[in-house]
Amino acid sequence: MENQSRIDEFLLRGLPNTKELRIFHVITFLLIYLVALIENLIIITVILYSHQLHTPMYFFLANLSLQDLGSISVTVPKSMLNSLMNTETISYSGCFCQVFFFVFFVMSHLFLLVVMAYDRYVAICNPLYYEMVMNKKVCIQMITSAWMGGLFYSALYIGNLSTVKFCSRIINQFFCEIPQLLKISCFDSYVAEEQALIFGCSIGFILFAVIVCSYVKIFREVLQIPSTQGKQKAFSTCLPHLIVICLFIVSGTFAYVRPTYSFPSTSDLLISLFYSVVPPLINPLIYSIRNHELKMEFWKLIFRTCSNPFCKNNFQFWLKF
């Protein structure tokens, strides 16, 4: 009975398996992955090489881009490889690695969003003490705590998952998604895994409550700023962060709260794409599209590395955008 219940590999059946749809899947995922890779690498590079951006806000933003790169790299390349090789399999250890690293990047992402909310709170509500409070040592401690928090919960969750017995090996998703793994786990080991998930959701709720409290105080302070320009500058730094938080929390909560189907579902696929693939793609755009400093430093970096006279002559033109 023990040998019969042991599963060595899973089948990822979240995507249709026709030739035309496999080609469409590979092309679409490849474009999304390349765009997300380029966007996040640009942000990390610009922040790394621009001394003007060596501030706590951009230090946290670079780490956020690194987390986005990690989370999308855990799921998308394997899905594309399966489509190219016309297979649906993922090994037992490979599935567990996906879960471990995906949970690690997602939870550290959530902890980092709290850190960034606190950074904006200090910058707007206590600007005179900002440099003293958010010094280099504190920033390093905060970012280390965010990464370690994600690592701790990921290790805790994967430890519980390793004790789970599965009664099926069919996962109706394009990666090893936790709700789908819970659905195929046997009843006698389902409880421990669900408790770990509830614990993680509780942590997420507490962190979200902290973020909400921070932004309530931030917006209360911003509304008291007399000048319109000051309000616009404050909102321009806070609104992108708030949009990212809302997209991340709402899509992730909806994916883990709603019931999963016993067959491949388009709605399940779209929701999983929305919280696992879309954020790394749009987060760089949200943070950079209204960030004048980041765009300026990007074009300055291009200008310094470009030896073509045509590039230099048109530098001022591109700076206007």
Side-chain angles (χ1 to χ4, degrees):
M1 189 67 184
E2 182 68 25
N3 291 333
Q4 291 177 355
S5 63
R6 179 171 177 82
I7 293 177
D8 295 325
E9 64 181 17
F10 295 97
L11 299 178
L12 301 174
R13 291 184 175 173
L15 295 169
N17 201 25
T18 63
K19 182 179 179 181
E20 293 78 11
L21 288 176
R22 284 203 313 271
I23 295 173
F24 175 76
H25 162 228
V26 171
I27 294 174
T28 304
F29 269 36
L30 180 61
L31 289 175
I32 291 174
Y33 185 69
L34 289 177
V35 172
L37 189 70
I38 293 170
E39 288 175 342
N40 287 284
L41 284 177
I42 286 175
I43 288 181
I44 294 172
T45 304
V46 171
I47 293 174
L48 184 64
Y49 285 97
S50 301
H51 295 288
Q52 297 292 332
L53 301 182
H54 289 179
T55 62
M57 184 179 75
Y58 292 106
F59 173 64
F60 298 141
L61 181 57
N63 279 270
L64 193 72
S65 293
L66 188 61
Q67 290 170 349
D68 283 337
L69 280 177
S71 63
I72 197 172
S73 298
V74 169
T75 58
V76 170
K78 175 59 179 176
S79 182
M80 289 191 296
L81 182 62
N82 277 6
S83 291
L84 287 172
M85 298 180 65
N86 192 20
T87 182
E88 300 173 335
T89 61
I90 182 172
S91 66
Y92 185 87
S93 58
C95 184
F96 271 52
C97 284
Q98 266 198 350
V99 173
F100 176 83
F101 285 107
F102 187 74
V103 172
F104 167 60
F105 285 116
V106 168
M107 287 302 294
S108 59
H109 190 101
L110 184 57
F111 281 111
L112 182 56
L113 290 177
V114 177
V115 172
M116 294 177 72
Y118 177 74
D119 173 70
R120 292 299 85 206
Y121 165 75
V122 177
I124 294 174
C125 299
N126 298 288
L128 297 178
Y129 298 96
Y130 181 75
E131 292 186 2
M132 181 178 67
V133 175
M134 301 299 295
N135 57 63
K136 184 178 179 180
K137 181 180 179 180
V138 171
C139 291
I140 293 175
Q141 289 176 345
M142 284 183 170
I143 203 65
T144 303
S145 299
W147 286 101
M148 292 303 295
L151 181 62
F152 169 77
Y153 179 73
S154 182
L156 175 67
Y157 190 85
I158 207 69
N160 279 325
L161 189 63
S162 63
T163 64
V164 172
K165 295 180 181 179
F166 297 97
C167 295
S168 173
R169 65 192 189 111
I170 298 175
I171 300 175
N172 295 321
Q173 197 52 267
F174 70 94
F175 70 102
C176 290
E177 189 185 39
I178 293 173
Q180 296 293 334
L181 288 172
L182 287 175
K183 189 189 69 176
I184 64 173
S185 61
C186 300
F187 182 77
D188 57 347
S189 59
Y190 177 85
V191 177
E193 184 68 4
E194 192 176 46
Q195 288 175 348
L197 184 59
I198 292 173
F199 176 68
C201 292
S202 300
I203 294 176
F205 177 78
I206 294 172
L207 296 178
F208 181 67
V210 172
I211 293 173
V212 170
C213 291
S214 298
Y215 271 96
V216 167
K217 294 181 179 180
I218 287 172
F219 288 132
R220 187 181 299 169
E221 190 72 22
V222 169
L223 292 175
Q224 295 177 359
I225 298 176
S227 66
T228 305
Q229 186 178 0
K231 289 181 180 179
Q232 290 178 348
K233 184 177 180 180
F235 279 122
S236 66
T237 59
C238 293
L239 285 180
H241 183 217
L242 198 57
I243 292 171
V244 169
I245 291 171
C246 291
L247 288 175
F248 181 74
I249 297 293
V250 172
S251 60
T253 301
F254 193 65
Y256 282 80
V257 170
R258 71 188 298 270
T260 55
Y261 298 101
S262 58
F263 52 88
S265 168
T266 304
S267 60
D268 279 345
L269 176 62
L270 291 176
I271 292 170
S272 65
L273 287 171
F274 199 75
Y275 83 89
S276 63
V277 176
V278 174
L281 180 67
I282 65 172
N283 282 355
L285 295 177
I286 293 174
Y287 276 109
S288 61
I289 197 167
R290 295 189 62 185
N291 193 314
H292 184 67
E293 290 182 348
L294 191 61
K295 289 188 290 187
M296 284 284 292
E297 293 301 322
F298 168 73
W299 290 114
K300 286 180 181 178
L301 184 62
I302 296 295
F303 177 70
R304 289 198 298 266
T305 57
C306 182
S307 58
N308 191 334
F310 176 80
C311 176
K312 294 184 177 181
N313 291 334
N314 289 275
F315 175 64
Q316 294 297 332
F317 171 78
W318 289 109
L319 280 180
K320 295 178 182 179
F321 299 92

